[in-house]
Amino acid sequence: MTNRIVSGIRPTGNLHLGNYFGAVKNFLKLQEESDCFFFIADYHSLTTHPTPENLNYNVKQVLAEFVACGLDPEKATLYIQSDIPETAELYLFLNMNAYLGELMRVTSFKEKARKNPNNVNAGLLTYPTLMAADILIHRAEKVPVGKDQEQHLEMTRTFASRFNRMYKTDFFPEPVAYNFGEELVKVPGLDGSGKMGKSEGEGNAIFLIDDEKTISKKIMRAVTDAGPTEANQTPPQAIANLFALLDIVSTADTAAFFRESYANCTIRYGDLKKQLAVDMNNFVAPIRERIIDVVSNDALISKIAATGREKARESASKTIEEVRQIIGFKTI
Ligand code: ADP
Ligand code: TRP
């Protein structure tokens, strides 16, 4: 068994702190120990019909942000999904054995169809087949993804084993989610509700490109309450979220100090926020500076994309050649 890892991220906006701790940080670790393929899922993003300008900007930006975070094109294969047309070909093959019923039962499909009833396109329905193609094109065994992607991975295993059975082969492995155990953090947002996310509304997410002023403004406006009324009460979610953010970017002492002052009812949310803003900026600043450097260096970005394209195509073309043979497309 090889130690091949594939994961992708949709280029739908700038990376935020949730993306960093939920995805990128894990990639940083994995690139040190495994044969990793990390890509920008630009085919996938077409389900929401971005303009050419937006698509192009976002792909370039996310690639630059990946690199600024420390993903290393020398260690991992960093590439853009649409640079590997072999993925689209495998997607076509897999779609021949992907059934309407099973695709319609996928939770993310149902949810998106419910939210946007006027855009229930075939690409949305076959999103899991495309994702399976991304993974199987490199015959990967492990896929570092969050909980929300587990069902897609299950479909990938279904498609892989169905192909194997149909052609009496063991060509495709059945990939599993790569779990980080306790290290899988969920970064909360600033709006007092659930997780940090780019579509959760203005001010909920801290982006890695946010400048000091923006960070401070967002944090100072974070949702709080009137304060604790009795000792040792359990904080409501909005306050627990701020503590969780302190856990992520501040020292253990700082986080403990504010938890304690909550417990004994002396807490001043203004002080907590000021401290969180400083620590957040200290965390983000070096990444932000690297993003600015990389983004302005077109030659570097092109070179990184070209290196990734070459390495990814080498792996993908090998797979697709064999798949064509297995299916019966012999070269005449
Ligand atoms: P968003 O929710 O902003 O649209 P995506 O769905 O594009 O973000 O997520 C890309 C990656 O980042 C996924 O691997 C996802 O699990 C991770 N991620 C996103 N938000 C968070 C968060 N708040 N906490 C932890 N991981 C997150
Ligand atoms: N569906 C993933 C997400 O929304 C992105 C993705 C596309 C992906 N293809 C993949 C993740 C292949 C892992 C492997 O986050």
Side-chain angles (χ1 to χ4, degrees), residues 6-9 15-30 38 66 69 71 143-149 177-188 195-198 206 208 245 248-249 283 287:
V6 169
S7 198
I9 199 157
L15 296 179
H16 52 69
L17 205 72
N19 300 137
Y20 184 84
F21 284 98
V24 180
K25 195 164 171 231
N26 301 325
F27 296 172
L28 293 178
K29 208 165 112 199
L30 290 169
F38 299 130
F66 262 177
C69 287
L71 285 182
V143 187
V145 281
K147 266 241 160 313
D148 59 329
Q149 299 296 316
Y178 194 87
N179 280 323
F180 294 94
E182 281 161 26
E183 286 166 58
L184 195 68
V185 282
K186 187 176 121 189
V187 179
K195 67 166 203 158
M196 182 175 284
K198 57 188 149 267
I206 301 282
L208 301 176
L245 288 169
I248 292 170
V249 296
F283 177 81
I287 302 178

